[in-house]
Amino acid sequence: MFFAKAATAAALCVAITFGGSASAQTGSAVKIGLLGDFSSVYSDIGGMGNVEAVKMAIEDMGGTMFGRPIEFIHADVQNKADIAASLARRWYENEGVDMIIDLPTSATALAAMEMSKRFEKIMIVTDAASSDITGKSCSPYTAHWTYDTYSNAHTVGSAIVKNGGDTWFFITADYLFGHSIERDTGEVVKAAGGKVLGSARHPLNNADFSSYLLQAQSSKAKIVGMANGGGDTINTIKQATEFGLVAGGQKLAGIVMFISDIHSLGLKMAKGLIVTEAYYWDLNDRTRAFGNRFFERMKRMPTMNQAATYSAALHYLKAAKAAGSKDTAPVLAKMRETPVRDAFTDNGYLREDGRMVHSMFLFEVKKPEESKAPWDYYKLLAEVPGEQAFRPLKDGNCPLIKTN
């Protein structure tokens, strides 16, 4: 696990200058800021891997823009909305940051988005998942890049219901992200004729899931949906195995899971899980090239969030170069008019509600004997086109979208 600890978020703020001396004047150079989780439950899926991904994007642009070195800073938001808002305000207002990327939780994303709107600066969310980010809380300055609770619910949830998993109980992280997963997946289950029998909500970064698992067990639901992520999902699966849920006939649904989760669990425990991802390193030559390059630096394959952070940073920088400016309006215009074609996706585009639409993939986790090499974890079941995976533009209740 890659993480950094600090007494305060400000203490973790690190400035990096690419492509030349550090003498570029603040406000003159293109400057990217990353607000992430380096010390808690989501540090594996983003964390220092996201930092490395941004560095890779900057390097691929040659390290300079408009004759000055591209600057990059990052800080730990400690998964707290007030810290995210405070840092975003300081960076936008006083430190010349042009774009903020990452945001590990939905609460931190929504808080920082308010600062993005206030200062009319760009924000790209690559870790947080709530579909509200491009729904009722959408912003003209925010892009949502990787996945969201709607896309995962509609790929994993619908596949499981079609295969007979028609009664569900949710174990839910008790904040916006978990609530959004439970809501969006529950709607899929009900629309397919299934039933939601109940839910149990736990705090973020929880250690003991015994009481929640007992509730799930007593519900007799065929499917126990894990409406959580990162370390919470890993702990849920491990303790569910100890409680005998799967041995007793119930199945676990990992609605938001990452390759790092599978690596932590091991194939013996994770085998047979159905998961959806936006990226997998072994899909094709393009994804393998990026995965192997990332592995050389981090000694592990990238998660979809880390690949998406590379993609988003690269797309932003390409847009700034094409616009001939780092000003918000022309850069956003170029980001929207230019297709996203890179190591993360070859069919992406940025919608006016901020949703970056691209294919999602449905995978089954391999059995140990099916894996031929380290990180060879998935069997591809289906590629779901972005127009099917993500919520239709007209249905999101984004106030930026005019509907008749």
Side-chain angles (χ1 to χ4, degrees), residues 56-390:
M56 292 167 71
I58 292 171
E59 289 169 12
D60 287 352
M61 291 299 295
T64 62
M65 188 78 66
F66 313 133
R68 293 184 178 275
I70 298 167
E71 297 182 9
F72 175 41
I73 60 175
H74 57 88
D76 191 340
V77 296
Q78 301 175 36
N79 295 333
K80 295 179 179 178
D82 58 337
I83 292 177
S86 176
L87 281 168
R89 176 173 186 151
R90 193 181 82 201
W91 283 2
Y92 284 140
E93 186 174 30
N94 299 322
E95 298 193 17
V97 170
D98 301 295
M99 185 271 281
I100 292 176
I101 196 167
D102 189 345
L103 284 307
T105 69
S106 300
T108 57
L110 292 170
M113 283 168 64
E114 290 302 311
M115 296 299 108
S116 168
K117 285 191 284 188
R118 180 180 299 184
F119 294 100
E120 299 183 355
K121 295 280 192 174
I122 297 171
M123 176 166 291
I124 309 179
V125 179
T126 58
D127 272 26
S130 174
S131 58
D132 289 347
I133 291 169
T134 56
K136 64 182 182 180
S137 300
C138 71
S139 162
Y141 307 106
T142 296
H144 200 185
W145 213 258
T146 314
Y147 68 109
D148 60 30
T149 52
Y150 183 100
S151 67
N152 284 40
H154 279 71
T155 48
V156 173
S158 60
I160 291 172
V161 175
K162 287 177 183 176
N163 285 284
D166 56 1
T167 57
W168 287 62
F169 185 95
F170 289 99
I171 295 179
T172 303
D174 193 12
Y175 73 106
L176 181 60
F177 164 65
H179 301 170
S180 298
I181 297 175
E182 182 182 328
R183 177 196 67 205
D184 291 346
T185 309
E187 289 175 356
V188 170
V189 171
K190 294 170 188 175
K195 295 181 179 179
V196 176
L197 303 184
S199 67
R201 294 183 172 181
H202 66 82
L204 178 66
N205 204 13
N206 191 54
D208 183 3
F209 285 85
S210 57
S211 64
Y212 315 113
L213 290 165
L214 285 170
Q215 292 178 61
Q217 200 169 41
S218 63
S219 76
K220 307 297 184 184
K222 294 178 184 177
I223 305 297
V224 178
M226 294 173 288
N228 51 22
D232 285 333
T233 300
I234 292 170
N235 285 334
T236 304
I237 293 172
K238 287 180 176 178
Q239 293 175 38
T241 301
E242 295 168 1
F243 268 79
L245 262 71
V246 176
Q250 292 176 294
K251 294 184 178 180
L252 302 176
I255 304 163
V256 177
M257 291 196 71
F258 303 84
I259 195 170
S260 54
D261 300 333
I262 307 304
H263 188 72
S264 296
L265 288 165
L267 293 182
K268 185 176 180 181
M269 187 173 293
K271 63 183 179 183
L273 279 172
I274 305 298
V275 301
T276 186
E277 295 244 29
Y279 165 94
Y280 174 46
W281 73 270
D282 202 20
L283 275 174
N284 52 51
D285 289 343
R286 171 179 48 80
T287 57
R288 279 188 287 274
F290 177 78
N292 289 327
R293 181 182 167 201
F294 185 93
F295 187 89
E296 289 177 2
R297 296 168 176 245
M298 301 299 292
K299 306 309 176 189
R300 60 190 298 156
M301 286 298 176
T303 65
M304 63 174 168
N305 289 6
Q306 290 158 349
T309 298
Y310 166 83
S311 168
L314 186 66
H315 193 72
Y316 165 78
L317 290 169
K318 285 180 176 179
K321 183 176 181 180
S325 171
K326 64 175 194 163
D327 293 342
T328 297
V331 173
L332 275 174
K334 285 294 181 183
M335 289 178 68
R336 292 191 179 109
E337 71 183 42
T338 307
V340 184
R341 306 284 187 267
D342 52 38
F344 174 69
T345 184
D346 61 2
N347 57 29
Y349 62 92
L350 184 59
R351 218 164 55 180
E352 55 194 301
D353 62 346
R355 177 68 258 164
M356 202 279 274
V357 178
H358 53 81
S359 289
M360 296 291 292
F361 301 92
L362 194 67
F363 297 106
E364 181 180 341
V365 178
K366 290 182 175 182
K367 298 174 183 176
E369 60 270 23
E370 293 174 320
S371 178
K372 305 303 181 186
W375 298 91
D376 175 24
Y377 293 158
Y378 291 154
K379 292 187 288 188
L380 178 63
L381 299 180
E383 177 175 351
V384 183
E387 290 75 14
Q388 295 177 27
F390 291 99

